[in-house]
Amino acid sequence: MPPPSFEGTSVTDVVELTKALIAAESVTPARGPVFDVLEAALLPLGFDVDRFVCGEAPDGPVENLIAVRGQGGRHLAFAGHVDVVPAGDGWTASPFSGEERGGLVYGRGAVDMKGGVAAFAAACAQVPADAGTLSLLITGDEEGPAIFGTRAIIDRMAARGLAPDLCLVGEPTSTARLGDMIKIGRRGSVNIWIDVHGRQGHVAYPHLADNPISRLVGALAEIEALVLDAGTDWFQSSNIEVTDLNVGNPATNVIPGRAAARLSIRFNDLHRGDALIERVRAIVARHAPDSQVIGKVSGEAFLTPPGAFSTLVSDAIREHTGLTPELSTTGGTSDARFLSRLCPTVEFGLLNATMHKLDEAVAVEDLRSLQAIYATLARRALDA
């Protein structure tokens, strides 16, 4: 089926664009039809659209899109994703129908975050073409490994000499009402795998064996007792959680030869991921010198201190909703962890109550309000 055509004034209809994006099924990693829909919407608005595919299995290939309009002046980038998590079973209607009923548009990705992408695209029609530079940085892999997604976009932008002054990430940040919260930072995330080897043996002859469980438990007890910090003015305290234990020993009379664990650390901007990995590695080494500890940093903590950009976003929200948003750093990671390296980065979008849930839905009224907020924000950001 060919992608919908958005000719003439229909490109500004945020509701119809949201429905079309939802109907283009795009479970992560997304490619093809959903990008066709977005490109068809952006071309009539004067955007130059660059679509590219990169990466190999198992984390690729991934499709990404960079759309740019204007030259010179201030550059506001909008970042987001069109991939979605699997729908699962039990929906009231098809998760990819984009059905509208009772003032809501239903479908996987309605709030996370095809509705936000549609709102910004539609908002661009309300921004003068000569006001400055607008760009959309859209990946097909935010919900997945995110190896060949936004990071690849950043590399391609650097090669093209594109450098935004400000970046707005359209993740669903609102909690009870549209505009009640924006994100000015996020905690970092690191996962650590611990593998302790011992020597298998009969439980009746423990002196002939070496039980790895005892040493792993000792290490985990010391790790669990760590107090990384007490939080900061903008971040809650960092925390370490044991997320898996694995021995795999079906026998009741055998001392196992191996025991493993996995940790997840969410940390604030007092720490760096690599330093936390080394700290855990040192603790494990004291209990089990021959153990293996592998860490992977998903993202570093970042903070865009309250200032001109967050004020700009807050003022636009207040004008259209009457709300003064809370500035927050709560929640999980997002692609803002990569984009914050380029320029001041703030996240603001739809209500997050139904994201990743059955019957995910967005209010039509919220879509139209978000479009108006984004349009006001873009005009003022480019005028600054």
Side-chain angles (χ1 to χ4, degrees), residues 191-237:
N191 291 302
I192 302 175
W193 290 262
I194 302 171
D195 202 344
V196 177
H197 290 272
R199 186 169 63 254
Q200 190 180 63
H202 197 291
V203 295
Y205 302 94
H207 59 288
L208 300 178
D210 178 12
N211 196 331
I213 297 176
S214 301
R215 290 184 285 135
L216 177 60
V217 168
L220 292 178
E222 185 174 346
I223 292 168
E224 282 281 288
L226 286 175
V227 178
L228 294 176
D229 57 71
T232 70
D233 289 343
W234 288 104
F235 284 99
Q236 66 191 85
S237 58

Side-chain angles (χ1 to χ4, degrees), residues 27 81 104 136 143 156 166 279 298 305 318 362 370 380:
V27 174
H81 63 93
L104 299 172
L136 284 86
E143 301 289 5
R156 197 169 180 95
L166 302 169
R279 190 168 179 180
S298 300
R318 189 179 304 109
V362 60
L370 186 62
R380 292 175 180 172

Side-chain angles (χ1 to χ4, degrees), residues 53-97:
V53 176
C54 63
E56 303 294 336
D59 298 327
V62 171
E63 184 164 6
N64 300 299
L65 177 149
I66 300 173
V68 182
R69 188 185 77 182
Q71 295 182 359
R74 299 273 288 174
H75 180 174
L76 171 66
F78 174 87
H81 63 93
V82 288
D83 62 314
V84 299
V85 296
D89 299 324
W91 285 68
T92 304
S94 168
F96 301 106
S97 66

Side-chain angles (χ1 to χ4, degrees), residues 104-362:
L104 299 172
V105 176
Y106 288 84
R108 177 57 82 222
V111 296
D112 190 16
M113 56 168 287
K114 292 180 176 181
V117 172
F120 193 84
C124 290
Q126 301 173 256
V127 180
D130 60 353
T133 303
L134 286 173
S135 63
L136 284 86
L137 316 176
I138 309 298
T139 179
D141 181 28
E142 192 271 349
E143 301 289 5
I147 302 298
F148 301 112
T150 295
R151 285 186 276 196
I153 289 176
I154 291 172
D155 290 343
R156 197 169 180 95
M157 290 174 64
R160 292 179 53 182
L162 292 173
D165 298 295
L166 302 169
C167 183
L168 176 69
V169 180
E171 286 289 341
T173 61
S174 302
T175 57
R177 292 179 56 190
L178 177 69
D180 62 3
M181 181 178 288
I182 65 177
K183 305 284 188 179
I184 59 170
R186 296 271 190 168
R187 292 197 298 172
S189 174
V190 61
N191 291 302
I192 302 175
W193 290 262
I194 302 171
D195 202 344
V196 177
H197 290 272
R199 186 169 63 254
Q200 190 180 63
H202 197 291
V203 295
Y205 302 94
H207 59 288
L208 300 178
D210 178 12
N211 196 331
I213 297 176
S214 301
R215 290 184 285 135
L216 177 60
V217 168
L220 292 178
E222 185 174 346
I223 292 168
E224 282 281 288
L226 286 175
V227 178
L228 294 176
D229 57 71
T232 70
D233 289 343
W234 288 104
F235 284 99
Q236 66 191 85
S237 58
S238 304
N239 64 292
I240 304 176
E241 303 298 333
V242 179
T243 58
D244 188 40
L245 284 170
N246 181 24
V247 176
N249 180 18
T252 60
N253 59 351
V254 175
I255 294 172
R258 174 185 174 272
R262 184 181 66 227
L263 308 177
S264 178
I265 306 178
R266 295 300 172 101
F267 57 93
N268 58 39
D269 59 348
L270 295 175
H271 306 276
R272 298 287 296 177
D274 288 343
L276 290 170
I277 293 170
E278 289 306 314
R279 190 168 179 180
V280 168
R281 183 174 284 124
I283 292 174
V284 175
R286 288 197 292 271
H287 294 266
D290 296 330
S291 62
Q292 183 180 41
V293 178
I294 298 175
K296 180 179 180 182
V297 180
S298 300
E300 299 290 351
F302 79 92
L303 177 69
T304 298
F309 190 25
S310 56
T311 298
L312 198 67
V313 178
S314 297
D315 288 347
I317 291 170
R318 189 179 304 109
E319 179 173 326
H320 291 280
T321 69
L323 298 177
T324 298
E326 175 187 354
L327 306 184
S328 173
T329 62
T330 59
T333 58
S334 76
D335 278 2
R337 66 191 190 272
F338 307 125
L339 295 157
S340 61
R341 304 170 192 167
L342 302 180
C343 61
T345 300
V346 168
E347 301 177 52
F348 167 62
L350 294 161
L351 271 70
N352 56 30
T354 62
M355 65 178 182
H356 293 203
K357 294 184 179 180
L358 296 179
D359 290 337
E360 181 180 349
V362 60

